[in-house]
Amino acid sequence: MAVNTLKAAENLFYRYENNHEIVRFYFGLLAYHGLAMAADAGKNEELINKCKDYLSLYPDKFDHPYYNFEAYRVGGAAKAWMFMKGYMPEEEDNLRKYAEITMSSPHSKEGILCHPKMHERVWIDTVAFVTPFMLYTGLALGEQKYIDYAADLCFKSYDLFLDRTNGLIHQSKGFLEDPEAISPDYWGRGNGWGYVGLTELVQYLPEDSPHRAKALELYKNHTEALLNYQSERGLWRQILTEELAWYECTGTGLFLYGIGVGIRLGILKGEKYMNALKKGVEALGKYCITTEYKTVLSCPGCLCPGEGKEKGTIKAYITEKYPQEDEVHSYGCLMFALVEAYKNGIDDIELFEFRRE
């Protein structure tokens, strides 16, 4: 069944909305970010208004849960992106307030935004959710200090987590018995979290930005490393380096988004990049999204899993976590990939009847 890629992104969102409580959680904000991008790409005013109506609930119109990052309280990167694009100009004061709160929040000794109560704990999610928030807000407000913060957070996280032997990144520091130890994983979605934040720097930093050269270098290097681990099927795995690890959709979606941005901007030149994008999008339709828009092969919440000596090990990432259907992280990650596929001229995705293998 061939479906327009933007329509598929929209239908994924409605599947999510009908099966989960979206409000108040960061993965819901990620899905709304994807929906906003789809609406903008398709000039769909109805969907744009849907995003505005939901994001206007932040920060004052419901009781919030606990957050690791205060940027979520105002609507996160989704609202900041809408503001940057001119859809929510009334949010200027709110976004400025939470950008300032972010900058004054606790940071680790490396200078990375950290767990608000356990300052030795840092993880790569900050690059996915805080770097774009600060970048979009800074660009929209003309506040260089917010842009500087966005880039600095990304670069310091890569400096800490990058394994220079293979070009991939680890997920976390401070969650093992030794608080100085870094988790030894090469988790798929963790690499995706870093890559998507880095991609936004590459996509939106001005050409004359002092941060652009380093962002481009890190982005190109991470892209090349990721291409080394795309499977013949077109998907990436739960642990990127392990051939026996299970296929995983959220990391795959985030990687395809980042690769697509690079192709569209003329940064990634050559057939191998478009071939990787097309192969990956085709695999999403074959293995990750059903004709009913059920999502499959998604890793659930996964922060340094396992117990005792196995905590944070590659074995724990593979055996303590199992691929799930209609998992809450899946929708936004897949929507990002589909929107960017559309922008690269991949108008349709072929969806297949779901089959377990």
Side-chain angles (χ1 to χ4, degrees):
M1 180 178 80
V3 182
N4 174 266
T5 40
L6 286 186
K7 189 65 178 178
E10 179 183 343
N11 286 341
L12 276 172
F13 182 87
Y14 287 129
R15 171 84 185 194
Y16 188 7
E17 188 175 50
N18 291 332
N19 285 275
H20 299 278
E21 180 189 6
I22 296 181
V23 177
R24 300 185 298 172
F25 297 100
Y26 74 91
F27 31 74
L29 289 173
L30 181 69
Y32 263 99
H33 192 170
L35 187 66
M37 292 193 298
D40 181 72
K43 297 179 173 56
N44 188 323
E45 187 174 350
E46 180 181 354
L47 286 184
I48 288 170
N49 288 333
K50 180 178 178 64
C51 294
K52 290 170 63 176
D53 288 346
Y54 173 76
L55 293 169
S56 68
L57 298 175
Y58 292 78
D60 299 324
K61 296 182 180 178
F62 56 76
D63 293 329
H64 293 271
Y66 172 84
Y67 292 125
N68 286 321
F69 309 135
E70 283 297 296
Y72 296 143
R73 194 176 301 275
V74 73
K79 179 180 279 188
W81 189 89
M82 291 283 284
F83 176 68
M84 180 180 71
K85 290 292 183 177
Y87 292 120
M88 302 184 76
E90 69 279 4
E91 293 294 334
E92 177 176 347
D93 290 344
N94 279 331
L95 288 166
R96 187 184 299 276
K97 173 183 176 180
Y98 280 89
E100 292 292 333
I101 289 173
T102 298
M103 293 184 68
S104 63
S105 294
H107 288 66
S108 72
K109 64 183 179 182
E110 297 90 359
I112 299 171
L113 188 67
C114 61
H115 191 287
K117 295 182 180 179
M118 291 168 279
H119 301 170
E120 78 281 3
R121 292 188 170 185
V122 293
W123 60 109
I124 198 62
D125 302 50
T126 57
V127 178
F129 296 102
V130 181
T131 285
F133 171 78
M134 295 297 290
L135 175 66
Y136 305 152
T137 302
L139 290 170
L141 295 178
E143 285 283 7
Q144 186 62 40
K145 65 179 180 178
Y146 299 161
I147 300 171
D148 293 342
Y149 181 91
D152 190 60
L153 176 63
C154 180
F155 297 159
K156 285 178 176 176
S157 297
Y158 266 78
D159 286 344
L160 180 63
F161 292 128
L162 180 64
D163 185 332
R164 289 165 177 79
T165 65
N166 59 19
L168 303 176
I169 54 177
H170 302 292
Q171 183 191 15
S172 64
K173 178 186 176 215
F175 291 84
L176 301 174
E177 183 177 356
D178 177 0
E180 295 299 313
I182 293 173
S183 56
D185 64 288
Y186 303 106
W187 180 40
R189 189 161 70 235
N191 274 263
W193 287 152
Y195 191 55
V196 73
L198 182 58
T199 296
E200 296 308 88
L201 290 177
V202 168
Q203 181 168 197
Y204 292 112
L205 280 174
E207 289 293 331
D208 61 353
S209 170
H211 307 299
R212 187 160 185 82
K214 184 168 183 177
L216 281 170
E217 179 184 8
L218 288 171
Y219 168 79
K220 290 177 181 178
N221 289 344
H222 201 172
T223 301
E224 296 304 322
L226 292 171
L227 289 181
N228 290 333
Y229 296 99
Q230 186 179 27
S231 71
E232 286 300 313
R233 184 170 287 194
L235 303 173
W236 281 263
R237 299 178 184 274
Q238 166 72 348
I239 291 291
L240 299 177
T241 56
E242 296 295 311
E243 291 187 2
L244 296 181
W246 42 276
Y247 297 107
E248 203 281 322
C249 76
T250 62
T252 296
L254 295 171
F255 301 152
L256 295 175
Y257 171 75
I259 292 168
V261 169
I263 295 170
R264 177 167 52 84
L265 296 180
I267 297 168
L268 303 179
K269 300 176 181 179
E271 290 185 6
K272 71 174 184 178
Y273 303 108
M274 182 57 77
N275 289 341
L277 178 63
K278 289 180 176 178
K279 185 177 182 179
V281 171
E282 181 181 1
L284 294 185
K286 282 185 176 181
Y287 306 111
C288 302
I289 307 169
T290 77
T291 52
E292 293 79 30
Y293 298 95
K294 177 195 290 284
T295 65
V296 297
L297 295 178
S298 180
C299 179
C302 185
L303 180 53
C304 200
E307 300 292 337
K309 293 182 179 180
E310 291 191 352
K311 184 170 177 59
T313 62
I314 286 175
K315 177 182 177 182
Y317 276 87
I318 297 172
T319 62
E320 294 286 335
K321 299 294 179 178
Y322 300 96
Q324 294 187 2
E325 301 171 11
D326 277 328
E327 194 278 324
V328 289
H329 297 83
S330 61
Y331 303 94
C333 297
L334 294 171
M335 292 167 71
F336 268 55
L338 292 174
V339 173
E340 192 54 45
Y342 174 84
K343 291 181 178 181
N344 275 278
I346 303 175
D347 295 329
D348 298 308
I349 182 172
E350 188 76 26
L351 302 181
F352 293 80
E353 293 292 336
F354 177 52
R355 61 189 185 277
R356 285 188 173 86
E357 297 186 358

